[in-house]
Amino acid sequence: MSQTDFLYLMPLLILTFAVLVSMLVIAAWRNHKIIYVITALSFIAAFGSLFELRTTTAYVIEPMFVIDGFGVFYIGMILLTSLLVSMLSYAYFEQREERKEEYYLLLVLATLGACVLVISTHFASLFLGLEILSISLYALIPYLRTRPRSDEAGIKYLILAAFSSAFMLFGMALVYFSTGTMMFSGLAQSIAGMQELPLLLLTGIGMILIGVGFKLGIVPFHMWTPDVYEGAPAPVTAFIATVSKGGVLGLLVRFFMEVDGFRYPVLITIFTVVAITSMFAGNLLALIQKNVKRILAYSSISHLGYILVAFMAGNQMGVEAITFYLVAYFITSVGAFGVVAMLSDKDSDAELLDDYKGLLWRRPWTAAVFSAMLLSLAGIPLTAGFVGKFYIIAAGINDQLWLLVVMLVLNSVIGLYYYIKIIAVMFQQPETEREPGTRLRPSIYVASAGTLAVLALLLVYVGVYPTGLVQLIQNVLVSVPEIVAK
């Protein structure tokens, strides 16, 4: 590797170095605040290093990675989200007696895996990033071992991830057997002149997509997703809903754009069915839930169905819509789970609807932030979620995906019910007198309330003035030839 290669990989190297430093510090002296500061500084430093790469054209590190505008933007989005999750995690774990330091090691490693995914152009680097992400989540999900359903959630995620890895590995083997290459560009060259994919190659790509489906939690691979969301600590659930799925989506977009997978009707049909069933299954199952974390879990399934509408467009506008929607979804999901984390105590998370009864009268500011996040998820105007859905609908209409657009609008109406249900519970009159406000230490207050305030401001800003973010995304995608060309 050359010196330039190391420069372009600097965000990943900073995260790796931060893990090593944290391990040495933990071995010498356990201190929650110090490890948190190291973690936060590593995310900030890694994000700062991206500014050296922001105006460059695509830089290829053969044969594993390509660092381009698309990859830099997604890495930046992942790093900022992980920073916000780490701030929520500090406030969440500071009130608990468990050993907290190893949590941040796993959080940084999982972030590193997601960053590797979005710049991968080879099946080996794809699998490496996926396993770094997954193995870290194996320990993050059941981190609070004494919590009910924590071990169950960890075991279920382990089984799902094992199935995912098995399908992907076998699919990669079939693709390599059929084409003799494991690079995305090599696969694209092998199938460039084919109007129909050979059965063996189609089977291999299908198995890879099954593995991706498990990671995204879309139908029909969603079976245990709500159980994982429910059993994991609230900050970890926020990380799974955003960084984990965002990294896999970035990989999926790059892979399909490079191999031009939208030319094959069988793949289009599969994604159409998956998108529609994910929208309906997520929204209809969320209607009958009484657990807020499970409601948000089923909501995430439906939102991935919405994103697949833009994905099916298979052009630059579709990629722009996906990227914008992910930014909006990251803001709202981290904000929603941040409220859950803020209201949780040392014994259990605030996950039942009864925990939010009368919240407006007990904690009006927190209720207002949570209501804003839920309205954004529902796609109400003046929020980032509304602009994101509008962008996706525009991409679908532009490509004449009328069936998917109609399904999206219909499901948005269905989804509005369970978001409003949570808000209605918060607006109920409390049955008891207003509880006295809890005085938090300044560090915990800044980490929790400060994070939610930033997210609420971003939510409204992007919803009212989306032009700046849209222009940034468009400028970023100009430097990605294989995406613009489609």
Side-chain angles (χ1 to χ4, degrees):
M1 291 181 65
S2 66
Q3 184 176 355
T4 308
D5 292 344
F6 281 102
L7 173 64
Y8 278 87
L9 291 177
M10 188 56 64
L12 308 186
L13 296 176
I14 290 173
L15 295 180
T16 305
F17 182 72
V19 172
L20 298 176
V21 170
S22 297
M23 290 176 64
L24 293 174
V25 172
I26 291 173
W29 183 30
R30 283 187 172 273
N31 188 289
H32 183 208
K33 186 175 293 186
I34 290 177
I35 300 301
Y36 160 69
V37 170
I38 293 173
T39 301
L41 289 178
S42 70
F43 289 141
I44 294 172
F47 181 79
S49 68
L50 294 175
F51 286 90
E52 295 295 323
L53 316 175
R54 70 187 188 280
T55 59
T56 61
T57 56
Y59 182 83
V60 180
I61 301 177
E62 294 286 356
M64 297 292 187
F65 304 113
V66 58
I67 293 87
D68 51 21
F70 178 84
V72 169
F73 185 89
Y74 271 68
I75 289 177
M77 184 169 59
I78 287 169
L79 290 172
L80 287 179
T81 306
S82 297
L83 174 62
L84 293 171
V85 170
S86 69
M87 295 175 69
L88 294 173
S89 300
Y90 175 75
Y92 183 85
F93 282 98
E94 184 67 9
Q95 306 175 59
R96 286 161 175 77
E97 298 179 358
E98 291 88 357
R99 291 193 170 186
K100 316 167 182 72
E101 292 78 14
E102 287 82 2
Y103 170 86
Y104 296 95
L105 295 177
L106 297 166
L107 185 66
V108 176
L109 281 173
T111 303
L112 174 63
C115 292
V116 169
L117 282 176
V118 297
I119 60 172
S120 293
T121 57
H122 193 282
F123 285 130
S125 56
L126 181 162
F127 191 74
L128 178 65
L130 202 62
E131 288 306 294
I132 294 174
L133 173 62
S134 298
I135 293 173
S136 301
L137 290 175
Y138 293 164
L140 282 172
I141 290 169
Y143 195 82
L144 300 176
R145 294 172 295 172
T146 59
R147 179 77 61 82
R149 299 183 301 278
S150 176
D151 290 338
E152 177 189 346
I155 292 172
K156 286 181 175 179
Y157 185 82
L158 173 63
I159 294 172
L160 287 176
F163 272 106
S164 172
S165 298
F167 274 104
M168 293 193 75
L169 277 175
F170 202 87
M172 292 174 192
L174 291 178
V175 170
Y176 181 72
F177 178 81
S178 302
T179 63
T181 181
M182 297 189 74
M183 297 179 61
F184 296 174
S185 57
L187 174 60
Q189 293 173 5
S190 298
I191 66 176
M194 299 180 183
Q195 294 301 319
E196 293 185 4
L197 294 175
L199 180 59
L200 199 61
L201 180 58
L202 180 62
T203 304
I205 294 176
M207 295 187 77
I208 293 173
L209 294 178
I210 288 173
V212 171
F214 274 115
K215 293 299 181 184
L216 293 177
I218 52 180
V219 175
F221 315 108
H222 67 291
M223 299 81 67
W224 287 340
T225 298
D227 298 330
V228 172
Y229 275 55
E230 183 182 2
V236 176
T237 308
F239 185 89
I240 296 171
T242 55
V243 173
S244 175
K245 295 186 177 182
V248 177
L249 270 171
L251 166 72
L252 185 64
V253 169
R254 184 182 294 281
F255 175 74
F256 254 74
M257 289 298 176
E258 188 147 349
V259 304
D260 196 12
F262 301 100
R263 291 189 294 117
Y264 304 103
V266 61
L267 296 179
I268 294 296
T269 302
I270 291 172
F271 274 106
T272 301
V273 173
V274 168
I276 294 174
T277 53
S278 294
M279 285 188 273
F280 275 104
N283 284 315
L284 294 178
L285 290 172
L287 292 175
I288 60 176
Q289 304 299 317
K290 296 183 179 180
N291 184 297
V292 172
K293 290 171 78 173
R294 294 183 72 88
I295 290 175
L296 294 175
Y298 284 115
S299 168
S300 72
I301 296 171
S302 64
H303 281 277
L304 285 166
Y306 303 155
I307 290 174
L308 287 178
V309 176
F311 178 76
M312 295 287 291
N315 52 30
Q316 182 180 0
M317 187 175 184
V319 178
E320 292 172 8
I322 292 172
T323 306
F324 187 98
Y325 197 86
L326 278 179
V327 173
Y329 182 69
F330 278 26
I331 293 171
T332 52
S333 291
V334 174
F337 286 110
V339 172
V340 175
M342 187 177 183
L343 297 177
S344 302
D345 56 36
K346 64 180 182 179
D347 298 318
S348 62
D349 286 352
E351 56 187 37
L352 300 178
L353 281 175
D354 288 342
D355 296 329
Y356 295 84
K357 186 173 293 185
L359 184 65
L360 177 68
W361 313 104
R362 295 183 282 116
R363 297 188 181 184
W365 186 87
T366 305
V369 171
F370 198 25
S371 297
M373 299 301 168
L374 293 172
L375 291 175
S376 180
L377 288 171
I380 299 301
L382 301 182
T383 63
F386 169 77
V387 182
K389 279 188 179 177
F390 183 84
Y391 213 152
I392 286 180
I393 291 173
I397 292 175
N398 184 62
D399 209 52
Q400 297 185 353
L401 303 174
W402 299 109
L403 175 62
L404 289 171
V405 169
V406 171
M407 293 297 102
L408 190 156
V409 173
L410 176 61
N411 276 274
S412 296
V413 176
I414 297 173
L416 183 62
Y417 174 80
Y418 55 82
Y419 295 124
I420 296 297
K421 180 173 69 173
I422 300 176
I423 296 174
V425 169
M426 291 191 291
F427 278 60
Q428 290 180 6
Q429 286 287 346
E431 298 176 357
T432 58
E433 294 184 3
R434 178 171 175 167
E435 63 184 31
T438 304
R439 295 182 63 85
L440 300 175
R441 296 203 304 271
S443 59
I444 298 180
Y445 184 80
V446 170
S448 57
T451 303
L452 293 179
V454 169
L455 289 168
L457 290 174
L458 284 174
L459 180 78
V460 176
Y461 177 78
V462 174
V464 174
Y465 184 72
T467 307
L469 179 58
V470 171
Q471 291 177 346
L472 174 61
I473 293 172
Q474 290 174 343
N475 293 336
V476 162
L477 293 183
V478 166
S479 65
V480 192
E482 67 271 16
I483 290 179
V484 176
K486 307 304 179 189

